[in-house]
Amino acid sequence: MSRAPSLTERQALLALLPEPWCDGDYQLSALPSESNDNYLLSIQGKPSLVLRLAKADARSLGVNRSQEQMLYVWAAEKGLSPTLLWADRSKGIMLSEYFADADHHTPVFIDSLAEQLARLHATPPDALPFEVNTRCILEHISGYRKRLNDTLRADCDLNPDMDVAFEVAEKRWLEMTEPSCLCHSDLHRDNILFHEGRVFFLDWEYTAYTPAILDIASLAQSYAWDAQQLQRFYSRYLRAQAIPEQDQQEHFQCLLNELPVARFLLALQSYYWSMLHYGTGKHSSQYHSALMLEARNVSARIDF
């Protein structure tokens, strides 16, 4: 965990808030996050809060802060996120309820995660009172790569292994016929809370209409599920979508066939994101190692 803010920093953070929160005698402690600064605000006898300050360059990372905050409000009303108490759209500041996080490695967690994700994916397009973008991950990757070339003058050429993997993945992705749905598009461990038997999603920065497999691949990647855990999740997900049990095995086999493509594209996108966010240092090297693993998997399992 990051260091606790100093007294001066604490006063500056609280000064960002309107009444009644700016006058509270809160204790502040940093919460882990990669693309934002998150702080836990606690005071004896009152519910704890989370203060989030966007620290990444929203434009360079393809983030629409205004849309993100509207999605937070909508998701909280639907029971998909903690309640958003206050937000400053111009500065990317948000204040929300704090929920203590429970163990993510239990069957109850996997079941709740599957049911909440199925609810999100089943959202009709006309159910949202605002516009949400459609998203092709190939275009998203190309956008990141262009920004890297334009701003950092970074060497974004793929090595031969990844170049072959990208050719395979790009071809297979364009052949997929899965319809798009409302997806979170950034579902990893830090963006998921499990509180009192229910999953809540955080950080709606990249939400868009895109094939559901991107959310599922992101979860499988983040949690490193084995085949049994993945099948439990997907069976519960399909059941929540009213897919007949006799058809579920066929759906699961299709998922297994397509996951390597989605996982590789997500890893490539994350690697470029890390270079934009961190530069070409240690953190980006960790993302590069994950990308190489997915490149080997997609090349080994899928033929032209």
Side-chain angles (χ1 to χ4, degrees):
M1 180 178 291
S2 304
R3 67 176 179 83
S6 67
L7 177 61
T8 301
E9 291 169 331
R10 173 186 171 278
Q11 292 172 337
L13 288 169
L14 291 178
L16 296 172
L17 302 176
E19 294 183 351
W21 301 291
C22 61
D23 297 325
D25 189 21
Y26 290 103
Q27 297 297 314
L28 269 69
S29 56
L31 296 170
S33 178
E34 286 194 284
S35 57
N36 303 290
D37 287 326
N38 293 335
Y39 298 94
L40 175 65
L41 279 62
S42 54
I43 186 170
Q44 189 171 5
K46 294 184 179 180
S48 295
L49 310 173
V50 174
L51 172 64
R52 198 197 78 167
L53 285 72
K55 66 181 179 183
D57 176 16
R59 292 188 63 187
S60 72
L61 297 178
V63 174
N64 181 332
R65 294 295 183 197
S66 179
Q67 176 182 286
E68 177 196 8
Q69 290 169 4
M70 289 189 288
L71 278 160
Y72 254 110
V73 173
W74 172 82
E77 291 173 351
K78 300 299 180 183
L80 295 169
S81 284
T83 300
L84 182 62
L85 301 173
W86 171 81
D88 183 331
R89 294 184 185 178
S90 64
K91 297 179 180 178
I93 303 172
M94 291 192 287
L95 187 70
S96 61
E97 290 182 328
Y98 170 77
F99 288 166
D101 196 20
D103 186 2
H104 284 210
H105 297 91
T106 66
V108 176
F109 166 75
I110 291 178
D111 292 348
S112 178
L113 177 59
E115 290 166 1
Q116 288 285 71
L117 188 62
R119 287 184 61 216
L120 174 63
H121 287 177
T123 304
D126 59 2
L128 296 173
F130 48 86
E131 294 291 326
V132 175
N133 295 331
T134 57
R135 174 175 179 256
C136 175
I137 192 168
L138 299 177
E139 294 175 359
H140 209 68
I141 289 170
S142 296
Y144 274 6
R145 187 166 177 165
K146 184 178 186 306
R147 291 186 190 102
L148 281 167
N149 286 327
D150 290 347
T151 61
L152 300 183
R153 307 297 183 199
D155 180 7
C156 297
D157 290 337
L158 302 180
N159 67 33
D161 286 343
M162 282 192 283
D163 195 44
V164 170
F166 184 69
E167 281 188 54
V168 174
E170 183 180 33
K171 180 175 184 290
R172 289 293 186 243
W173 184 259
L174 294 173
E175 291 173 350
M176 288 184 183
T177 58
E178 181 184 6
S180 294
C181 62
L182 185 64
C183 289
H184 182 282
S185 303
D186 194 23
L187 282 181
H188 56 77
R189 173 64 178 83
D190 290 343
N191 286 344
I192 299 170
L193 286 176
F194 185 43
H195 179 71
E196 296 183 350
R198 185 169 190 170
V199 160
F200 297 89
F201 301 132
L202 307 175
D203 287 6
W204 298 81
E205 296 167 311
Y206 299 102
T207 301
Y209 288 100
T210 194
I213 195 169
L214 283 184
D215 274 350
I216 297 169
S218 183
L219 291 170
Q221 210 168 45
S222 180
Y223 287 106
W225 283 333
D226 60 27
Q228 184 176 2
Q229 290 170 313
L230 178 61
Q231 186 156 28
R232 180 185 183 100
F233 164 84
Y234 200 55
S235 294
R236 195 78 175 209
Y237 172 85
L238 293 176
R239 195 184 316 162
Q241 291 194 324
I243 302 297
E245 189 171 348
Q246 63 267 25
D247 297 333
Q248 290 186 12
Q249 188 56 41
E250 181 180 350
H251 280 267
F252 185 61
Q253 189 57 52
C254 182
L255 177 75
L256 292 179
N257 292 338
E258 295 180 346
L259 268 180
V261 168
R263 288 180 62 129
F264 169 75
L265 292 175
L266 284 169
L268 181 57
Q269 172 189 265
S270 295
Y271 173 55
Y272 286 158
W273 175 90
S274 73
M275 293 177 71
L276 283 166
H277 190 55
Y278 296 117
T280 55
K282 176 182 176 182
H283 291 290
S284 292
S285 296
Q286 293 170 347
Y287 281 90
H288 182 267
S289 297
L291 173 59
M292 289 299 295
L293 175 62
E294 298 297 350
R296 289 192 292 270
N297 288 340
V298 77
S299 298
R301 294 187 58 179
I302 298 178
D303 299 323
F304 285 107

